[in-house]
Short mmCIF file of all heavy atoms in Angstrom, two decimals:
data_model
loop_
_atom_site.label_atom_id
_atom_site.label_comp_id
_atom_site.label_asym_id
_atom_site.label_seq_id
_atom_site.Cartn_x
_atom_site.Cartn_y
_atom_site.Cartn_z
N MET T 1 26.18 -15.66 6.67
CA MET T 1 25.77 -14.49 5.90
C MET T 1 24.85 -14.95 4.77
O MET T 1 25.09 -15.95 4.12
CB MET T 1 27.01 -13.82 5.34
CG MET T 1 26.77 -12.54 4.64
SD MET T 1 28.40 -11.83 4.51
CE MET T 1 28.27 -10.63 3.37
N SER T 2 23.81 -14.17 4.56
CA SER T 2 22.85 -14.54 3.52
C SER T 2 23.35 -14.13 2.15
O SER T 2 24.12 -13.19 2.01
CB SER T 2 21.49 -13.92 3.81
OG SER T 2 21.57 -12.52 3.76
N SER T 3 22.89 -14.84 1.17
CA SER T 3 23.30 -14.54 -0.19
C SER T 3 22.59 -13.30 -0.70
O SER T 3 21.59 -12.84 -0.13
CB SER T 3 23.00 -15.72 -1.11
OG SER T 3 21.60 -15.80 -1.34
N SER T 4 23.09 -12.78 -1.77
CA SER T 4 22.48 -11.61 -2.39
C SER T 4 21.05 -11.89 -2.81
O SER T 4 20.17 -11.05 -2.62
CB SER T 4 23.32 -11.18 -3.60
OG SER T 4 22.73 -10.08 -4.24
N ARG T 5 20.82 -13.06 -3.34
CA ARG T 5 19.46 -13.43 -3.77
C ARG T 5 18.50 -13.46 -2.59
O ARG T 5 17.36 -13.03 -2.69
CB ARG T 5 19.45 -14.78 -4.46
CG ARG T 5 19.95 -14.73 -5.86
CD ARG T 5 19.82 -16.08 -6.52
NE ARG T 5 20.24 -15.99 -7.90
CZ ARG T 5 20.20 -16.98 -8.74
NH1 ARG T 5 19.78 -18.16 -8.35
NH2 ARG T 5 20.60 -16.81 -9.98
N GLU T 6 18.97 -13.98 -1.47
CA GLU T 6 18.12 -14.04 -0.27
C GLU T 6 17.79 -12.65 0.24
O GLU T 6 16.66 -12.38 0.63
CB GLU T 6 18.81 -14.86 0.83
CG GLU T 6 18.89 -16.33 0.53
CD GLU T 6 19.78 -17.08 1.51
OE1 GLU T 6 20.68 -16.46 2.12
OE2 GLU T 6 19.58 -18.29 1.67
N ARG T 7 18.77 -11.76 0.22
CA ARG T 7 18.55 -10.37 0.68
C ARG T 7 17.55 -9.66 -0.22
O ARG T 7 16.66 -8.95 0.25
CB ARG T 7 19.86 -9.61 0.75
CG ARG T 7 20.74 -10.06 1.89
CD ARG T 7 21.92 -9.13 2.12
NE ARG T 7 22.76 -8.92 0.96
CZ ARG T 7 23.81 -9.66 0.63
NH1 ARG T 7 24.16 -10.67 1.37
NH2 ARG T 7 24.53 -9.37 -0.44
N VAL T 8 17.68 -9.87 -1.53
CA VAL T 8 16.74 -9.26 -2.48
C VAL T 8 15.34 -9.82 -2.27
O VAL T 8 14.36 -9.08 -2.26
CB VAL T 8 17.22 -9.47 -3.94
CG1 VAL T 8 16.14 -9.07 -4.94
CG2 VAL T 8 18.49 -8.68 -4.20
N ALA T 9 15.23 -11.12 -2.05
CA ALA T 9 13.93 -11.74 -1.81
C ALA T 9 13.30 -11.19 -0.53
O ALA T 9 12.09 -10.91 -0.50
CB ALA T 9 14.08 -13.25 -1.72
N GLN T 10 14.10 -10.99 0.50
CA GLN T 10 13.59 -10.42 1.76
C GLN T 10 13.12 -8.99 1.55
O GLN T 10 12.06 -8.60 2.05
CB GLN T 10 14.66 -10.47 2.84
CG GLN T 10 14.97 -11.87 3.32
CD GLN T 10 16.18 -11.91 4.24
OE1 GLN T 10 16.90 -10.93 4.39
NE2 GLN T 10 16.41 -13.07 4.86
N LEU T 11 13.88 -8.21 0.80
CA LEU T 11 13.50 -6.84 0.52
C LEU T 11 12.20 -6.79 -0.26
O LEU T 11 11.29 -6.01 0.06
CB LEU T 11 14.61 -6.12 -0.26
CG LEU T 11 14.29 -4.69 -0.70
CD1 LEU T 11 14.10 -3.78 0.50
CD2 LEU T 11 15.39 -4.16 -1.60
N ARG T 12 12.07 -7.63 -1.27
CA ARG T 12 10.84 -7.67 -2.07
C ARG T 12 9.65 -8.05 -1.20
O ARG T 12 8.57 -7.47 -1.32
CB ARG T 12 10.98 -8.63 -3.24
CG ARG T 12 11.83 -8.08 -4.34
CD ARG T 12 11.84 -8.99 -5.54
NE ARG T 12 12.60 -8.37 -6.61
CZ ARG T 12 13.30 -9.03 -7.50
NH1 ARG T 12 13.33 -10.35 -7.48
NH2 ARG T 12 13.97 -8.39 -8.43
N SER T 13 9.83 -9.01 -0.32
CA SER T 13 8.74 -9.42 0.58
C SER T 13 8.32 -8.27 1.47
O SER T 13 7.12 -8.02 1.66
CB SER T 13 9.18 -10.60 1.44
OG SER T 13 9.35 -11.75 0.67
N ARG T 14 9.29 -7.56 2.04
CA ARG T 14 8.96 -6.41 2.89
C ARG T 14 8.21 -5.34 2.12
O ARG T 14 7.25 -4.76 2.61
CB ARG T 14 10.22 -5.82 3.51
CG ARG T 14 10.63 -6.52 4.79
CD ARG T 14 11.80 -5.84 5.42
NE ARG T 14 12.95 -6.43 4.73
CZ ARG T 14 14.14 -5.88 4.63
NH1 ARG T 14 14.39 -4.74 5.18
NH2 ARG T 14 15.12 -6.48 4.00
N ARG T 15 8.67 -5.06 0.91
CA ARG T 15 8.02 -4.03 0.09
C ARG T 15 6.58 -4.44 -0.24
O ARG T 15 5.67 -3.62 -0.20
CB ARG T 15 8.79 -3.78 -1.19
CG ARG T 15 10.17 -3.19 -0.98
CD ARG T 15 10.09 -1.78 -0.46
NE ARG T 15 11.38 -1.15 -0.46
CZ ARG T 15 11.95 -0.63 0.63
NH1 ARG T 15 11.32 -0.65 1.77
NH2 ARG T 15 13.11 -0.07 0.56
N LYS T 16 6.37 -5.71 -0.57
CA LYS T 16 5.01 -6.19 -0.87
C LYS T 16 4.12 -6.06 0.36
O LYS T 16 2.96 -5.68 0.25
CB LYS T 16 5.05 -7.64 -1.35
CG LYS T 16 5.55 -7.78 -2.76
CD LYS T 16 5.58 -9.24 -3.19
CE LYS T 16 6.14 -9.37 -4.59
NZ LYS T 16 6.22 -10.79 -5.02
N GLU T 17 4.67 -6.38 1.53
CA GLU T 17 3.91 -6.24 2.77
C GLU T 17 3.51 -4.79 3.03
O GLU T 17 2.48 -4.51 3.63
CB GLU T 17 4.73 -6.76 3.96
CG GLU T 17 4.89 -8.26 3.99
CD GLU T 17 5.88 -8.75 5.02
OE1 GLU T 17 6.44 -7.92 5.77
OE2 GLU T 17 6.11 -9.97 5.07
N GLN T 18 4.33 -3.86 2.56
CA GLN T 18 4.06 -2.43 2.71
C GLN T 18 3.07 -1.93 1.66
O GLN T 18 2.73 -0.76 1.64
CB GLN T 18 5.35 -1.62 2.60
CG GLN T 18 6.33 -1.89 3.71
CD GLN T 18 7.69 -1.26 3.45
OE1 GLN T 18 8.04 -0.87 2.34
NE2 GLN T 18 8.50 -1.17 4.50
N GLY T 19 2.63 -2.83 0.78
CA GLY T 19 1.68 -2.46 -0.26
C GLY T 19 2.31 -1.86 -1.50
O GLY T 19 1.62 -1.33 -2.37
N MET T 20 3.62 -1.95 -1.61
CA MET T 20 4.31 -1.40 -2.77
C MET T 20 4.26 -2.39 -3.93
O MET T 20 4.15 -3.59 -3.73
CB MET T 20 5.75 -1.07 -2.42
CG MET T 20 5.87 -0.02 -1.33
SD MET T 20 7.58 0.28 -0.94
CE MET T 20 7.71 1.94 -1.50
N LYS T 21 4.36 -1.84 -5.13
CA LYS T 21 4.39 -2.66 -6.34
C LYS T 21 5.66 -2.33 -7.10
O LYS T 21 6.12 -1.20 -7.10
CB LYS T 21 3.18 -2.39 -7.20
CG LYS T 21 1.89 -2.66 -6.45
CD LYS T 21 0.78 -2.96 -7.38
CE LYS T 21 -0.47 -3.12 -6.57
NZ LYS T 21 -1.10 -4.35 -6.62
N GLN T 22 6.19 -3.33 -7.77
CA GLN T 22 7.42 -3.15 -8.54
C GLN T 22 7.07 -2.68 -9.94
O GLN T 22 6.09 -3.12 -10.54
CB GLN T 22 8.20 -4.45 -8.61
CG GLN T 22 9.56 -4.28 -9.20
CD GLN T 22 10.40 -5.55 -9.05
OE1 GLN T 22 9.94 -6.55 -8.53
NE2 GLN T 22 11.61 -5.50 -9.56
N SER T 23 7.89 -1.76 -10.46
CA SER T 23 7.66 -1.23 -11.80
C SER T 23 9.01 -1.01 -12.48
O SER T 23 10.00 -0.70 -11.83
CB SER T 23 6.91 0.10 -11.69
OG SER T 23 6.72 0.64 -12.96
N SER T 24 9.01 -1.16 -13.78
CA SER T 24 10.21 -0.88 -14.57
C SER T 24 9.89 0.25 -15.54
O SER T 24 8.81 0.26 -16.14
CB SER T 24 10.64 -2.11 -15.37
OG SER T 24 11.03 -3.14 -14.51
N ILE T 25 10.82 1.18 -15.67
CA ILE T 25 10.63 2.29 -16.61
C ILE T 25 11.95 2.53 -17.35
O ILE T 25 13.02 2.21 -16.86
CB ILE T 25 10.17 3.58 -15.90
CG1 ILE T 25 11.19 4.02 -14.84
CG2 ILE T 25 8.81 3.42 -15.28
CD1 ILE T 25 10.91 5.37 -14.23
N TRP T 26 11.81 3.12 -18.52
CA TRP T 26 12.98 3.52 -19.29
C TRP T 26 13.30 4.95 -18.93
O TRP T 26 12.42 5.81 -18.92
CB TRP T 26 12.70 3.41 -20.79
CG TRP T 26 12.59 1.99 -21.24
CD1 TRP T 26 11.44 1.26 -21.38
CD2 TRP T 26 13.66 1.13 -21.60
NE1 TRP T 26 11.73 0.00 -21.80
CE2 TRP T 26 13.08 -0.12 -21.95
CE3 TRP T 26 15.03 1.27 -21.67
CZ2 TRP T 26 13.86 -1.20 -22.35
CZ3 TRP T 26 15.78 0.19 -22.07
CH2 TRP T 26 15.20 -1.01 -22.41
N LEU T 27 14.57 5.23 -18.64
CA LEU T 27 14.99 6.58 -18.27
C LEU T 27 16.00 7.11 -19.28
O LEU T 27 16.92 6.40 -19.68
CB LEU T 27 15.63 6.57 -16.88
CG LEU T 27 14.73 6.13 -15.73
CD1 LEU T 27 15.55 5.97 -14.46
CD2 LEU T 27 13.60 7.11 -15.53
N SER T 28 15.82 8.36 -19.64
CA SER T 28 16.79 9.02 -20.52
C SER T 28 18.00 9.44 -19.69
O SER T 28 17.94 9.47 -18.45
CB SER T 28 16.14 10.26 -21.15
OG SER T 28 15.96 11.26 -20.16
N PRO T 29 19.08 9.80 -20.34
CA PRO T 29 20.24 10.31 -19.59
C PRO T 29 19.88 11.55 -18.76
O PRO T 29 20.38 11.71 -17.64
CB PRO T 29 21.26 10.66 -20.69
CG PRO T 29 20.90 9.74 -21.82
CD PRO T 29 19.40 9.63 -21.77
N GLU T 30 18.98 12.38 -19.27
CA GLU T 30 18.55 13.56 -18.53
C GLU T 30 17.77 13.17 -17.28
O GLU T 30 17.92 13.77 -16.22
CB GLU T 30 17.69 14.48 -19.41
CG GLU T 30 18.43 15.12 -20.56
CD GLU T 30 18.56 14.20 -21.79
OE1 GLU T 30 17.89 13.15 -21.85
OE2 GLU T 30 19.36 14.54 -22.68
N ASP T 31 16.92 12.13 -17.42
CA ASP T 31 16.18 11.62 -16.26
C ASP T 31 17.16 11.11 -15.21
O ASP T 31 16.99 11.38 -14.01
CB ASP T 31 15.25 10.47 -16.66
CG ASP T 31 14.15 10.88 -17.61
OD1 ASP T 31 13.77 12.07 -17.63
OD2 ASP T 31 13.66 10.00 -18.34
N GLU T 32 18.15 10.37 -15.63
CA GLU T 32 19.16 9.83 -14.71
C GLU T 32 19.88 10.95 -13.98
O GLU T 32 20.11 10.86 -12.76
CB GLU T 32 20.18 8.96 -15.46
CG GLU T 32 19.65 7.63 -15.90
CD GLU T 32 19.55 6.62 -14.76
OE1 GLU T 32 20.06 6.86 -13.65
OE2 GLU T 32 18.93 5.58 -14.99
N SER T 33 20.23 12.02 -14.70
CA SER T 33 20.91 13.15 -14.07
C SER T 33 20.01 13.83 -13.05
O SER T 33 20.47 14.20 -11.96
CB SER T 33 21.32 14.17 -15.13
OG SER T 33 22.29 13.63 -15.98
N ALA T 34 18.74 13.99 -13.40
CA ALA T 34 17.79 14.62 -12.47
C ALA T 34 17.62 13.76 -11.21
O ALA T 34 17.59 14.30 -10.09
CB ALA T 34 16.45 14.84 -13.16
N ILE T 35 17.52 12.47 -11.38
CA ILE T 35 17.37 11.57 -10.24
C ILE T 35 18.61 11.62 -9.35
O ILE T 35 18.51 11.68 -8.12
CB ILE T 35 17.07 10.13 -10.70
CG1 ILE T 35 15.69 10.07 -11.35
CG2 ILE T 35 17.17 9.14 -9.54
CD1 ILE T 35 15.43 8.80 -12.13
N ALA T 36 19.77 11.62 -9.97
CA ALA T 36 21.02 11.70 -9.21
C ALA T 36 21.09 13.00 -8.42
O ALA T 36 21.51 13.02 -7.25
CB ALA T 36 22.22 11.56 -10.13
N ALA T 37 20.66 14.10 -9.03
CA ALA T 37 20.68 15.39 -8.35
C ALA T 37 19.72 15.40 -7.16
O ALA T 37 20.07 15.89 -6.08
CB ALA T 37 20.31 16.51 -9.33
N ILE T 38 18.53 14.86 -7.34
CA ILE T 38 17.56 14.79 -6.24
C ILE T 38 18.11 13.91 -5.12
O ILE T 38 18.04 14.27 -3.94
CB ILE T 38 16.20 14.24 -6.73
CG1 ILE T 38 15.53 15.25 -7.66
CG2 ILE T 38 15.29 13.91 -5.55
CD1 ILE T 38 14.33 14.69 -8.42
N THR T 39 18.67 12.78 -5.49
CA THR T 39 19.22 11.85 -4.49
C THR T 39 20.29 12.53 -3.66
O THR T 39 20.28 12.45 -2.43
CB THR T 39 19.79 10.59 -5.19
OG1 THR T 39 18.77 9.99 -5.98
CG2 THR T 39 20.31 9.59 -4.19
N GLU T 40 21.19 13.23 -4.32
CA GLU T 40 22.28 13.90 -3.61
C GLU T 40 21.78 15.08 -2.79
O GLU T 40 22.12 15.22 -1.62
CB GLU T 40 23.33 14.38 -4.62
CG GLU T 40 24.54 15.00 -3.97
CD GLU T 40 25.59 15.42 -4.98
OE1 GLU T 40 25.80 14.66 -5.96
OE2 GLU T 40 26.17 16.48 -4.80
N ARG T 41 20.95 15.92 -3.40
CA ARG T 41 20.47 17.14 -2.73
C ARG T 41 19.63 16.81 -1.50
O ARG T 41 19.76 17.46 -0.47
CB ARG T 41 19.65 17.97 -3.72
CG ARG T 41 19.21 19.31 -3.21
CD ARG T 41 18.53 20.17 -4.27
NE ARG T 41 17.43 19.48 -4.92
CZ ARG T 41 17.32 19.25 -6.22
NH1 ARG T 41 18.27 19.65 -7.04
NH2 ARG T 41 16.27 18.63 -6.73
N ALA T 42 18.79 15.80 -1.60
CA ALA T 42 17.89 15.45 -0.50
C ALA T 42 18.51 14.41 0.45
O ALA T 42 17.87 14.04 1.44
CB ALA T 42 16.57 14.94 -1.06
N GLY T 43 19.71 13.94 0.15
CA GLY T 43 20.38 12.98 1.01
C GLY T 43 19.69 11.63 1.06
O GLY T 43 19.67 10.98 2.10
N MET T 44 19.15 11.23 -0.06
CA MET T 44 18.43 9.95 -0.12
C MET T 44 19.41 8.81 -0.37
O MET T 44 20.50 9.02 -0.87
CB MET T 44 17.36 10.01 -1.19
CG MET T 44 16.32 11.04 -0.87
SD MET T 44 15.07 11.15 -2.13
CE MET T 44 13.99 12.32 -1.33
N LYS T 45 18.96 7.61 -0.03
CA LYS T 45 19.81 6.43 -0.15
C LYS T 45 19.71 5.73 -1.49
O LYS T 45 20.61 5.02 -1.89
CB LYS T 45 19.46 5.43 0.95
CG LYS T 45 19.71 5.95 2.34
CD LYS T 45 19.28 4.93 3.36
CE LYS T 45 19.38 5.50 4.76
NZ LYS T 45 18.82 4.59 5.76
N SER T 46 18.58 5.91 -2.18
CA SER T 46 18.39 5.13 -3.40
C SER T 46 17.68 5.94 -4.48
O SER T 46 17.02 6.95 -4.19
CB SER T 46 17.57 3.88 -3.11
OG SER T 46 16.24 4.23 -2.80
N ARG T 47 17.82 5.47 -5.71
CA ARG T 47 17.11 6.09 -6.83
C ARG T 47 15.61 5.93 -6.66
O ARG T 47 14.86 6.84 -6.97
CB ARG T 47 17.55 5.43 -8.14
CG ARG T 47 18.96 5.76 -8.52
CD ARG T 47 19.42 5.03 -9.74
NE ARG T 47 18.34 4.80 -10.68
CZ ARG T 47 18.41 4.05 -11.75
NH1 ARG T 47 19.53 3.46 -12.05
NH2 ARG T 47 17.39 3.90 -12.56
N SER T 48 15.19 4.77 -6.19
CA SER T 48 13.76 4.54 -6.00
C SER T 48 13.16 5.57 -5.05
O SER T 48 12.08 6.10 -5.30
CB SER T 48 13.51 3.14 -5.44
OG SER T 48 13.92 2.16 -6.35
N GLU T 49 13.86 5.83 -3.98
CA GLU T 49 13.41 6.82 -3.00
C GLU T 49 13.30 8.20 -3.66
O GLU T 49 12.33 8.93 -3.44
CB GLU T 49 14.40 6.84 -1.84
CG GLU T 49 13.92 7.55 -0.61
CD GLU T 49 14.93 7.44 0.53
OE1 GLU T 49 16.04 6.90 0.35
OE2 GLU T 49 14.59 7.92 1.62
N ALA T 50 14.28 8.55 -4.47
CA ALA T 50 14.28 9.85 -5.15
C ALA T 50 13.13 9.95 -6.15
O ALA T 50 12.48 10.99 -6.27
CB ALA T 50 15.61 10.08 -5.85
N ILE T 51 12.85 8.88 -6.87
CA ILE T 51 11.75 8.88 -7.84
C ILE T 51 10.42 9.03 -7.12
O ILE T 51 9.56 9.83 -7.53
CB ILE T 51 11.79 7.61 -8.71
CG1 ILE T 51 13.02 7.64 -9.63
CG2 ILE T 51 10.51 7.46 -9.52
CD1 ILE T 51 13.32 6.33 -10.32
N ARG T 52 10.23 8.29 -6.01
CA ARG T 52 8.98 8.42 -5.25
C ARG T 52 8.83 9.83 -4.71
O ARG T 52 7.74 10.41 -4.74
CB ARG T 52 8.94 7.40 -4.10
CG ARG T 52 8.67 5.99 -4.58
CD ARG T 52 8.36 5.05 -3.43
NE ARG T 52 9.48 4.89 -2.51
CZ ARG T 52 10.45 3.99 -2.66
NH1 ARG T 52 10.44 3.17 -3.70
NH2 ARG T 52 11.40 3.90 -1.78
N TYR T 53 9.92 10.42 -4.23
CA TYR T 53 9.91 11.79 -3.72
C TYR T 53 9.48 12.77 -4.83
O TYR T 53 8.62 13.62 -4.62
CB TYR T 53 11.30 12.16 -3.19
CG TYR T 53 11.46 13.60 -2.82
CD1 TYR T 53 11.02 14.07 -1.59
CD2 TYR T 53 12.07 14.50 -3.70
CE1 TYR T 53 11.17 15.40 -1.25
CE2 TYR T 53 12.22 15.83 -3.35
CZ TYR T 53 11.78 16.27 -2.14
OH TYR T 53 11.92 17.59 -1.80
N ALA T 54 10.08 12.63 -6.00
CA ALA T 54 9.76 13.52 -7.12
C ALA T 54 8.29 13.38 -7.54
O ALA T 54 7.62 14.38 -7.81
CB ALA T 54 10.68 13.25 -8.30
N LEU T 55 7.79 12.16 -7.57
CA LEU T 55 6.38 11.95 -7.93
C LEU T 55 5.45 12.61 -6.91
O LEU T 55 4.45 13.22 -7.29
CB LEU T 55 6.08 10.45 -8.02
CG LEU T 55 6.69 9.73 -9.22
CD1 LEU T 55 6.52 8.23 -9.06
CD2 LEU T 55 6.07 10.22 -10.51
N LYS T 56 5.78 12.51 -5.63
CA LYS T 56 4.97 13.15 -4.59
C LYS T 56 4.98 14.66 -4.76
O LYS T 56 3.96 15.33 -4.58
CB LYS T 56 5.47 12.76 -3.20
CG LYS T 56 5.11 11.35 -2.82
CD LYS T 56 5.67 11.00 -1.46
CE LYS T 56 5.49 9.53 -1.17
NZ LYS T 56 6.14 9.11 0.07
N GLN T 57 6.15 15.22 -5.08
CA GLN T 57 6.26 16.67 -5.26
C GLN T 57 5.38 17.14 -6.41
O GLN T 57 4.68 18.14 -6.29
CB GLN T 57 7.73 17.07 -5.51
CG GLN T 57 8.63 16.84 -4.32
CD GLN T 57 8.23 17.68 -3.13
OE1 GLN T 57 7.99 18.87 -3.24
NE2 GLN T 57 8.13 17.05 -1.98
N VAL T 58 5.40 16.42 -7.51
CA VAL T 58 4.58 16.77 -8.66
C VAL T 58 3.10 16.67 -8.30
O VAL T 58 2.30 17.55 -8.62
CB VAL T 58 4.91 15.87 -9.88
CG1 VAL T 58 3.88 16.05 -10.99
CG2 VAL T 58 6.31 16.17 -10.39
N SER T 59 2.73 15.61 -7.63
CA SER T 59 1.35 15.42 -7.23
C SER T 59 0.88 16.55 -6.31
O SER T 59 -0.23 17.08 -6.48
CB SER T 59 1.19 14.07 -6.52
OG SER T 59 -0.13 13.89 -6.08
N ASN T 60 1.72 16.94 -5.36
CA ASN T 60 1.37 18.02 -4.45
C ASN T 60 1.19 19.34 -5.20
O ASN T 60 0.29 20.12 -4.90
CB ASN T 60 2.43 18.18 -3.36
CG ASN T 60 2.42 17.04 -2.37
OD1 ASN T 60 1.44 16.29 -2.27
ND2 ASN T 60 3.51 16.87 -1.65
N GLN T 61 2.06 19.60 -6.18
CA GLN T 61 1.95 20.84 -6.96
C GLN T 61 0.68 20.85 -7.79
O GLN T 61 0.02 21.88 -7.92
CB GLN T 61 3.17 21.03 -7.84
CG GLN T 61 4.39 21.47 -7.06
CD GLN T 61 5.56 21.82 -7.97
OE1 GLN T 61 5.51 21.61 -9.18
NE2 GLN T 61 6.60 22.35 -7.38
N GLU T 62 0.32 19.71 -8.35
CA GLU T 62 -0.92 19.63 -9.15
C GLU T 62 -2.13 19.89 -8.27
O GLU T 62 -3.07 20.58 -8.68
CB GLU T 62 -1.04 18.27 -9.82
CG GLU T 62 -0.11 18.10 -11.00
CD GLU T 62 -0.24 16.74 -11.67
OE1 GLU T 62 -0.95 15.86 -11.14
OE2 GLU T 62 0.38 16.56 -12.73
N GLU T 63 -2.11 19.36 -7.04
CA GLU T 63 -3.23 19.60 -6.12
C GLU T 63 -3.35 21.08 -5.79
O GLU T 63 -4.45 21.62 -5.71
CB GLU T 63 -3.04 18.78 -4.83
CG GLU T 63 -3.28 17.30 -5.03
CD GLU T 63 -2.98 16.50 -3.76
OE1 GLU T 63 -2.75 17.10 -2.69
OE2 GLU T 63 -3.02 15.27 -3.85
N LYS T 64 -2.22 21.75 -5.59
CA LYS T 64 -2.23 23.19 -5.27
C LYS T 64 -2.77 23.99 -6.46
O LYS T 64 -3.48 24.96 -6.27
CB LYS T 64 -0.83 23.67 -4.92
CG LYS T 64 -0.34 23.19 -3.57
CD LYS T 64 1.06 23.67 -3.30
CE LYS T 64 1.60 23.11 -2.00
NZ LYS T 64 2.99 23.50 -1.75
N MET T 65 -2.42 23.58 -7.67
CA MET T 65 -2.87 24.31 -8.86
C MET T 65 -4.39 24.14 -9.06
O MET T 65 -5.03 25.04 -9.56
CB MET T 65 -2.11 23.84 -10.09
CG MET T 65 -0.66 24.28 -10.11
SD MET T 65 0.34 23.57 -11.44
CE MET T 65 -0.63 23.92 -12.88
N GLN T 66 -4.92 23.00 -8.66
CA GLN T 66 -6.35 22.75 -8.83
C GLN T 66 -7.18 23.45 -7.75
O GLN T 66 -8.36 23.68 -7.95
CB GLN T 66 -6.64 21.25 -8.79
CG GLN T 66 -6.09 20.52 -9.99
CD GLN T 66 -6.31 19.02 -9.91
OE1 GLN T 66 -6.84 18.51 -8.93
NE2 GLN T 66 -5.88 18.30 -10.93
N ALA T 67 -6.55 23.80 -6.65
CA ALA T 67 -7.29 24.45 -5.55
C ALA T 67 -7.56 25.91 -5.82
O ALA T 67 -7.12 26.56 -6.66
CB ALA T 67 -6.49 24.32 -4.24
#
């Protein structure tokens, strides 16, 4: 069985291959609650997935407003 560090390194390598970049942000308690709600409501596996989903939703709404 691989160690936790090895699994994290493999995950990071896969993400880099997919063209993703790592970022750190500060979240308020309200942000955390919103992310948890999105994760649960949409049946997502991770906070990162929920944050990417929310960013896409905002981007799509902005495009609609500009049209």
